[in-house]
Amino acid sequence: MISLPLLPTSLVGSYAQPEWLIDRAKLAGRFPPRVRARELWRIPPGLLSQAQDDATELAIRAQERAGLDIVTDGEIRRESYSNHFATALEGIDLDNPGTALDRSGHPNPVPRISGPIRRPRPVEVDDLNFLRAHTDHVVKMTVPGPFTMSQQAQNDHYPDAEAAAMDYAAAVNAEIRDLFAAGADIVQIDEPYMQARPEAARAYGLAALNAALDGVTGMTAVHICFGYAAIIHERPEAYSFLPELAGCPVRQVSIETAQSGLDLGVLSDLKDKTVILGVIDLSTPEVEPVEVVADRVRRAFERVPPERIVIATDCGMKYLPRASAEGKMRAMAGAARLLRRELGRELGRELGRELSRELGSELDRDIS
């Protein structure tokens, strides 16, 4: 049983990787890698794993110091949110990548599917074990979604993208089960391409997501976004794919609202889902005041009760300077504390009014 305060706080997934670990200028100067991009790491291969451990522990401590309630590993070992998992699967020709259009419309090297997609072994369980061993907080792990991976690949094996997505779903399902068995509190599936390609998402992406969740009983989330703010600068005012998730078995839905100024009316369509509400703008390194962040959360209260909200960043914190990332996390945690105090006072006033009504009724009965 997960124990969290009202309005718990969390990263979406990634945290800023140290400059001594990864070449941040190279990372920011290209599209997110879909195949391996070992040239980004500054550390020699023989020492890289140890350096990634050290940087992951720094990310954990930074989240704890900032006051976050749910801690991730910062995705420190990943070159991107998806390629770490996607390139660990069988059926992928790593030596001869394919090409596919990124969500920005530009061609990007991608995994080339040359055979049946299979997960030969757990991919992230060791990462989870490290995270679990270095914090006593509630922990969350993220995995790329089957639909998104099917869009980030060149399919030279399956009859269509839907068939590939369903085999990706089987691999994700097995990974999620292993992560929960190893002690994950929350597992989040990242499906940004559902927003980028909503028609295909409706045609078969939702079915693939449901297959990835089949038989899973732990606390699951799905993340839908507009793309990294450092790369995709224009933001629509509404999601093209979101109400469709209302009938999905996932228990939490992660969205972005800070940079887009999203119309929150769509939240009413998510019924009983918990909303992971992105309220930290990652298009700028400027740290928002606590009150600004709190206002972004208050906007949602008309649509979703506070007990069904997790306060989070928008996605793509890995592109921020570390000092800015730390400041934004502190602002987010400060906003949560402020809102908890406000809601506590309001609850106290409501209880007082209710008590007064009850006492008044008793007095009326005594008088009569």
Side-chain angles (χ1 to χ4, degrees), residues 29-279:
R30 54 164 295 162
F31 290 106
R34 309 304 182 199
V35 294
R36 293 307 308 272
R38 293 180 175 86
E39 69 278 5
L40 293 176
W41 301 106
R42 294 186 183 277
I43 308 298
L47 299 174
L48 181 57
S49 178
Q50 180 180 336
Q52 289 170 336
D53 282 351
D54 291 344
T56 299
E57 188 166 1
L58 289 175
I60 293 168
R61 297 291 167 259
Q63 292 171 74
E64 292 176 339
R65 283 196 307 271
L68 300 195
D69 303 296
I70 301 166
V71 172
T72 78
D73 70 345
E75 300 178 2
I76 297 296
R77 296 177 179 83
R78 308 185 196 185
E79 296 146 6
S80 78
Y81 72 96
S82 61
N83 76 331
H84 180 68
F85 185 85
T87 58
L89 303 177
E90 290 181 348
I92 302 298
D93 185 346
L94 297 178
D95 297 323
N96 300 286
T99 303
L101 294 182
D102 225 323
R103 67 184 298 165
S104 61
H106 292 81
N108 203 8
V110 296
R112 188 174 69 84
I113 305 173
S114 57
I117 294 167
R118 299 290 185 267
R119 188 198 71 138
R121 65 189 65 84
V123 180
E124 299 179 16
V125 167
D126 286 346
D127 300 345
L128 168 64
N129 288 338
F130 186 90
L131 172 61
R132 182 81 282 171
H134 286 82
T135 185
D136 58 2
H137 285 49
V138 171
V139 298
K140 178 175 76 171
M141 292 295 292
T142 63
V143 295
F147 176 71
T148 291
M149 285 191 287
S150 75
Q151 303 300 294
Q152 295 177 350
Q154 179 176 306
N155 175 23
D156 289 350
H157 173 74
Y158 291 95
D160 50 41
E162 179 176 0
M166 296 309 291
D167 269 2
Y168 275 123
V172 172
N173 181 267
E175 185 74 8
I176 293 173
R177 288 170 179 264
D178 281 343
L179 287 170
F180 280 126
D185 295 308
I186 305 166
V187 177
Q188 176 181 296
I189 302 174
D190 292 330
E191 282 285 18
Y193 274 67
M194 285 187 163
Q195 161 64 24
R197 296 173 185 172
E199 294 307 318
R202 293 185 186 99
Y204 61 87
L206 191 57
L209 176 60
N210 288 341
L213 293 164
D214 185 47
V216 173
T217 57
M219 179 64 72
T220 53
V222 62
H223 172 66
I224 309 287
C225 70
F226 299 117
Y228 288 140
I231 297 171
I232 308 294
H233 304 293
E234 297 298 322
R235 287 293 194 270
E237 294 182 354
Y239 274 88
S240 60
F241 187 95
L242 196 62
E244 293 84 351
L245 295 173
C248 173
V250 75
R251 296 167 65 182
Q252 301 183 344
V253 177
S254 170
I255 64 170
E256 297 180 306
T257 71
Q259 187 186 353
S260 64
L262 184 75
D263 178 355
L264 298 185
V266 70
L267 297 182
S268 300
D269 297 325
L270 293 178
K271 297 180 180 177
D272 59 346
K273 305 295 186 193
T274 291
V275 175
I276 303 174
L277 191 71
V279 291

Side-chain angles (χ1 to χ4, degrees), residues 287-304:
V287 176
E288 299 96 321
V290 166
E291 186 60 38
V292 169
V293 180
D295 274 340
R296 291 171 181 166
V297 180
R298 291 187 189 102
R299 291 177 60 223
F301 287 169
E302 293 182 5
R303 306 289 182 178
V304 182

